[in-house]
Amino acid sequence: MLFHYHFWTPYVEKTEKFYLDNGFRISQRIGKYNGDFQAFNPPLTWDDFRGKKILFRIIEARKGAVNITFGFGKKIMFDHIGFLVSEEEQGNICENAAKMNWEVDKGERRTFITTPYNFRIELQVNEDAIDSMTDNIKIEELKLETKMKGLNNDLSILFNKPINSIISEVGDEVTIKEALIKGFLSSNIVDPNGVRISNNT
């Protein structure tokens, strides 16, 4: 199940506000301050730390089965998408990735696969990465732009089945063009990073 995407962005506070305004909650904020990584989690708000020079590594927004993370970057850059899978599926996908000569970085909490399309794929086996499997709020489709063709075919090989939630087109950059999110409060709206979001309610 596709559940997650991550950006680096210069618009960290604006991105957080955008998703809060559309019914998400902020589950964590981790930033580097005075040389150390620290938590600035809710109930803290931006008014509590706006004057501090914090380099936010990750801010996590959640709603239902959707998990969106973003951190500070000098320019907008799409980093990875995530799939919630079983441990058996994770093992099979990692084996397929190795056969495709895609690098696999298996961690304690999550596994990352580096693709030749200049973004990574996260495999998550822990259901606590999302708030709910039952309230019918989920990512139904992502439209990606990549600089080379072949993504959908490679994903079918990687997952050993078609991944119909991903639609790809070839263009001049690597980014998410549009997200179809069931249960999103607004529709045909663009987030601060240029992702058009529509809903299917």
Side-chain angles (χ1 to χ4, degrees):
M1 180 188 73
L2 178 64
F3 80 103
H4 169 73
Y5 57 85
H6 177 92
F7 271 98
W8 301 110
T9 174
Y11 311 116
V12 177
E13 184 178 359
K14 287 182 180 179
T15 300
E16 177 178 314
K17 184 179 186 305
F18 174 87
Y19 286 101
L20 280 174
D21 289 347
N22 281 281
F24 284 68
R25 73 177 184 92
I26 302 302
S27 59
Q28 69 169 332
R29 301 186 194 96
I30 304 296
K32 195 171 187 179
Y33 179 61
N34 287 337
D36 296 315
F37 284 103
Q38 302 177 35
F40 298 89
N41 298 335
L44 292 179
T45 69
W46 279 81
D47 288 337
D48 295 315
F49 50 74
R50 184 178 283 105
K52 299 179 179 179
K53 292 183 178 179
I54 304 168
L55 190 66
F56 280 105
R57 179 67 178 174
I58 185 169
I59 296 178
E60 182 180 53
R62 294 181 172 206
K63 185 178 183 183
V66 182
N67 176 313
I68 298 168
T69 57
F70 43 94
F72 177 76
K74 292 182 179 180
K75 64 179 182 178
I76 298 169
M77 188 174 71
F78 164 48
D79 186 81
H80 66 267
I81 53 175
F83 292 84
L84 191 62
V85 298
S86 68
E87 290 189 8
E88 181 180 359
E89 287 173 324
Q90 181 192 55
N92 291 335
I93 293 166
C94 289
E95 286 182 9
N96 290 339
K99 293 175 184 177
M100 298 167 72
N101 293 317
W102 289 9
E103 181 182 342
V104 177
D105 181 11
K106 194 166 185 180
E108 193 171 307
R109 280 284 301 176
R110 55 187 180 168
T111 294
F112 282 102
I113 296 172
T114 301
T115 78
Y117 298 91
N118 290 327
F119 71 88
R120 299 180 297 161
I121 293 172
E122 175 188 344
L123 302 178
Q124 176 63 258
V125 298
N126 299 289
E127 289 190 5
D128 62 3
I130 58 175
D131 280 352
S132 174
M133 292 283 287
T134 60
D135 62 6
N136 217 21
I137 297 168
K138 60 183 179 179
I139 300 174
E140 295 197 319
E141 186 178 277
L142 284 183
K143 293 182 180 178
L144 304 183
E145 180 178 312
T146 62
K147 292 183 178 180
M148 55 185 280
K149 62 182 180 179
L151 175 61
N152 287 101
N153 183 64
D154 280 343
L155 290 178
S156 295
I157 297 170
L158 181 68
F159 287 86
N160 203 30
K161 63 181 180 181
I163 302 299
N164 296 321
S165 55
I166 300 295
I167 296 175
S168 66
E169 61 182 39
V170 176
D172 296 328
E173 58 183 336
V174 179
T175 190
I176 297 175
K177 301 291 288 186
E178 184 174 354
L180 176 61
I181 302 178
K182 186 171 186 177
F184 205 81
L185 294 183
S186 303
S187 187
N188 295 319
I189 188 172
V190 179
D191 87 353
N193 308 294
V195 179
R196 177 167 295 280
I197 298 179
S198 54
N199 64 35
N200 185 14
T201 56

